[in-house]
Amino acid sequence: MTLLTKRRLAVLVAGFALLLSASIVAGLAIGPSGLSPQRVIRALAGGGSPADADIVLRVRLPRVVLAALVGASLSVAGVLFQALLRNPLADPYVLGVSGGAALGAVAVMAFGASLGLGYAFVAPAAFLGALAATILLFGVAGARGRLSSTSLLLTGVVFNAFASAAIVFVASLAGLAEGTSIFLWLIGNLSSARTDEALGVAVFLVAGLGCAVPLARGLDLLALGEEPATQLGVDVPRMKRLLLLATALMVGAAVAVSGLVGFVGLIIPHLLRLVLGPGHRLLIPAGALGGAAFLVLCDTVARSLLDGRELPVGAVTALVGGPLFLVLLRREQGGRGMR
Amino acid sequence: MSPALELRGVTLALGGSPVLRGVDLALGEGEILGLLGRNGSGKTTLVRVATRVLEPDAGEVRLGGRLLASYTRRELARTLAVVPQETSVPFAFRTLEVVLMGRAPHLGLLGFESDRDIARAMQAMERVGIAHLADRPVTVLSGGERQLVVLARALAQDASILLLDEPTAFLDLRHRLAVLTLVRELARSGRSAIVVSHDLGLAARFCDRLALLCDGVVLASGPPGEVLVPGALRRAFGIDADIVPGPGGAPLVVPRLEGPC
């Protein structure tokens, strides 16, 4: 068998980086005015025609970069939730943590102006919403150690139902006009991508990865259980605190700029585990790069599938992710990993 | 010389009810101590206290003469290896990968296993007799096989003290004997072990000393012949039993069927 070595890690991460680069070039090339990959690369390098440079750098690049950052954040958050809850079905969207982030963000969008809070407060509010939902979730899960898949999913259903109801309530209070834009945003889309948003998400993502990467080996040990991990030298409470913070940062940032994009944190870690195995030293960087590539491609489909109209990217990830997840679930239940 | 592991007056209540009440226990170097007692008598809690997963309300635990509290988690993991009652792994790690996790306390946080670590893990798997499972995902192994994987992981940890919490619960008779023979061999090379067990016969044959725990108190401790006596067994397990000499002189407990349960 092939064990993970530094060399193998470097080669595989480079491979995933290449995959992401290819999907970014595809995302920049495909659109109403189709460009060849060569023209995209020339524009990226500062050459080519001014029109190409305008399309690639000004119109498409911010959105593609934002899709990559959101995809990476959601995918890594999925990896971390699954490891922390010791359950491959855990995911920020399914568990309602994204819903908590959305509630925080919507509250600021609805009432922020009257409280003197500008748009800059949306991301911090989403972070706080995600953090509150995560702490609540771990409070429920932590009381009895490891939750069964059934209890976990039921907890998620309840959390999501509560968050949706609260969002509807807040949106209704805010008045219909604002409410409509809120609902569009909640389907999950990247159409209003701006460079400063991408920068903000990048900061949250780097901070989250900075917490998670050094703890990757500890997450492997956590698969044995909290007590065995402790007995193998892991400071489990400290690790959990840091990773709760990391996931809340990443989910909060992703939801604040893109709304509720589902299934990325579920599908990508699942697929990667099938191909690469469950070791987190590889799964975390591969999850970031793979999730980024996936959402760039989904968003490219979302804005080019229908002529002259856009699908929300959340609809595309759900259409791709839902059926794929059912296939994976069946496969997994064939094995014995789901107890 | 101070004992390898020593508990003095350890008292602990969980959820308001006392679980350990002034437990004194010492484990010598190269000694195997069998920990017996009925379900809920405090055996597993004692293992948790000895690994500082739980802090005692009163009393102290010393490891090699040093207070347990003065050890870092990683130092502790290099000294004490635990085989828990049951392990379930939610992700499809391969057997060799799980055994290699035993090397974690010896490596840096991002540490990659060296060839030496891999050799240690392979060696541990061979000793336990699971080398042929190296490449298999642990999620498809049977309960008994998983228990052997966890034992191999504990061996790979290279700790001087092993705490085995019902290590043979899921094993057939041949594997039970193999595991306990292995623990005996380890003791000969200077390692110490506490073995929690419900198998009084095997405990009497393989352990140097036994300690009988009842409602969080050590009822009796000493050589098997002194601990396994009708009076103590009645108090600890609520059974009437005859003690007959077994093979090699170890006492054999024969419960009377009509005894109160």
Side-chain angles (χ1 to χ4, degrees):
Chain A
M1 76 185 270
T2 39
L3 287 168
L4 187 66
T5 56
K6 276 180 197 158
R7 194 183 134 76
R8 185 171 147 76
L9 178 68
V11 168
L12 285 169
V13 169
F16 276 94
L18 212 63
L19 179 76
L20 174 59
S21 309
S23 65
I24 286 177
V25 171
L28 293 172
I30 298 170
S33 44
L35 301 174
S36 68
Q38 289 84 348
R39 280 167 68 185
V40 168
I41 291 167
R42 256 202 305 277
L44 282 174
S49 71
D52 283 2
D54 201 44
I55 291 170
V56 169
L57 298 178
R58 205 181 55 78
V59 178
R60 291 184 191 162
L61 191 62
R63 179 155 176 174
V64 166
V65 168
L66 192 68
L69 291 167
V70 168
S73 300
L74 293 176
S75 170
V76 174
V79 169
L80 298 182
F81 270 125
Q82 286 146 27
L84 282 171
L85 288 163
R86 303 184 64 231
N87 195 316
L89 283 179
D91 157 80
Y93 182 73
V94 171
L95 294 178
V97 172
S98 294
L103 180 58
V106 166
V108 168
M109 288 173 155
F111 304 120
S114 54
L115 295 171
L117 302 175
Y119 190 78
F121 285 89
V122 171
F127 161 70
L128 289 178
L131 193 64
T134 312
I135 289 171
L136 215 63
L137 182 77
F138 276 78
V140 173
R144 281 183 293 133
R146 191 188 160 201
L147 280 182
S148 72
S149 296
T150 317
S151 316
L152 190 78
L153 291 181
L154 283 176
T155 311
V157 167
V158 172
F159 268 49
N160 267 321
F162 179 81
S164 307
I167 288 166
V168 170
F169 183 67
V170 168
S172 307
L173 283 181
L176 198 62
E178 268 167 303
T180 312
S181 74
I182 281 167
F183 286 125
L184 268 175
W185 177 77
L186 281 181
I187 301 167
N189 79 87
L190 291 158
S191 55
S192 61
R194 299 198 317 260
T195 314
D196 59 328
E197 281 182 343
L199 218 70
V201 181
V203 170
F204 279 62
L205 175 64
V206 168
L209 284 174
C211 291
V213 167
L215 298 172
R217 190 57 180 154
L219 285 176
D220 289 350
L221 302 182
L222 194 64
L224 302 172
E226 288 193 15
E227 193 169 317
T230 305
Q231 288 159 343
L232 282 167
V234 179
D235 185 345
V236 173
R238 177 178 167 272
M239 182 167 86
K240 281 174 97 171
R241 279 197 303 273
L242 276 171
L243 292 178
L244 287 184
L245 183 72
T247 47
L249 281 169
M250 291 188 281
V251 173
V255 170
V257 296
S258 65
L260 291 177
V261 179
F263 289 98
V264 182
L266 208 51
I267 292 302
I268 299 303
H270 258 273
L271 284 175
L272 291 177
R273 255 191 230 106
L274 284 178
V275 180
L276 304 172
H280 291 91
R281 288 177 292 197
L282 179 54
L283 200 55
I284 290 174
L289 296 165
F294 175 72
L295 202 61
V296 168
L297 292 178
C298 283
D299 189 47
T300 307
V301 171
R303 60 186 163 78
S304 53
L305 194 64
L306 304 178
D307 268 340
R309 268 180 306 159
E310 258 193 34
L311 279 170
V313 70
V316 176
T317 59
L319 287 173
V320 177
L324 203 55
F325 177 68
L326 289 179
V327 173
L328 292 172
L329 190 62
R330 267 190 77 85
R331 270 186 69 131
E332 194 125 358
Q333 277 172 336
R336 302 203 334 222
M338 295 296 294
R339 286 163 303 160
Chain B
M1 206 168 86
S2 51
L5 178 68
E6 190 180 19
L7 283 80
R8 270 194 223 151
V10 167
T11 298
L12 175 68
L14 293 175
S17 47
V19 182
L20 297 176
R21 298 185 295 169
V23 170
D24 291 315
L25 211 59
L27 174 71
E29 247 174 59
E31 186 183 42
I32 305 178
L33 175 70
L35 197 57
L36 312 175
R38 64 174 164 221
N39 296 329
S41 59
K43 305 185 297 294
T44 299
T45 304
L46 203 143
V47 170
R48 289 190 170 137
V49 168
T51 52
R52 223 177 70 203
V53 170
L54 292 174
E55 301 274 353
D57 299 330
E60 60 177 40
V61 184
R62 284 180 184 271
L63 192 61
R66 237 176 89 190
L67 274 178
L68 200 65
S70 71
Y71 282 79
T72 65
R73 281 258 167 251
R74 285 163 60 77
E75 267 182 306
L76 216 51
R78 288 195 287 267
T79 317
L80 277 169
V82 183
V83 176
Q85 273 176 21
E86 202 183 350
T87 301
S88 74
V89 183
F91 304 113
F93 282 102
R94 286 167 199 282
T95 297
L96 175 59
E97 291 175 308
V98 171
V99 176
L100 268 176
M101 289 180 189
R103 300 302 299 163
H106 299 275
L107 303 169
L109 253 186
L110 281 175
F112 284 81
E113 294 82 4
S114 66
D115 289 344
R116 196 180 148 269
D117 294 310
I118 295 166
R120 283 294 298 126
M122 292 299 292
Q123 207 183 339
M125 286 195 295
E126 272 158 28
R127 278 194 94 162
V128 177
I130 53 160
H132 62 290
L133 300 178
D135 211 12
R136 294 264 289 278
V138 287
T139 40
V140 303
L141 300 183
S142 73
E145 286 170 328
R146 266 210 308 273
Q147 208 159 23
L148 293 174
V149 171
V150 176
L151 181 65
R153 192 207 73 212
L155 288 188
Q157 221 170 315
D158 266 339
S160 55
I161 300 174
L162 284 169
L163 301 176
L164 305 120
D165 194 354
E166 296 186 41
T168 58
F170 292 96
L171 299 180
D172 57 47
L173 197 54
R174 187 173 75 88
H175 281 102
R176 282 181 187 208
L177 289 171
V179 164
L180 290 169
T181 306
L182 173 63
V183 175
R184 201 55 284 164
E185 281 169 23
L186 293 169
R188 262 198 290 278
S189 65
R191 295 204 221 178
S192 320
I194 291 182
V195 181
V196 175
S197 180
H198 283 300
D199 192 328
L200 304 185
L202 285 180
R205 282 179 65 186
F206 282 94
C207 298
D208 300 306
R209 281 193 311 128
L210 299 179
L212 197 52
L213 210 58
C214 183
D215 295 333
V217 175
V218 179
L219 211 59
S221 73
E226 291 176 17
V227 172
L228 297 179
V229 294
L233 291 173
R234 192 175 306 119
R235 282 177 64 194
F237 294 103
I239 57 157
D240 281 317
D242 294 314
I243 313 296
V244 298
L252 201 60
V253 176
V254 185
R256 287 188 198 160
L257 292 178
E258 70 274 19
C261 282

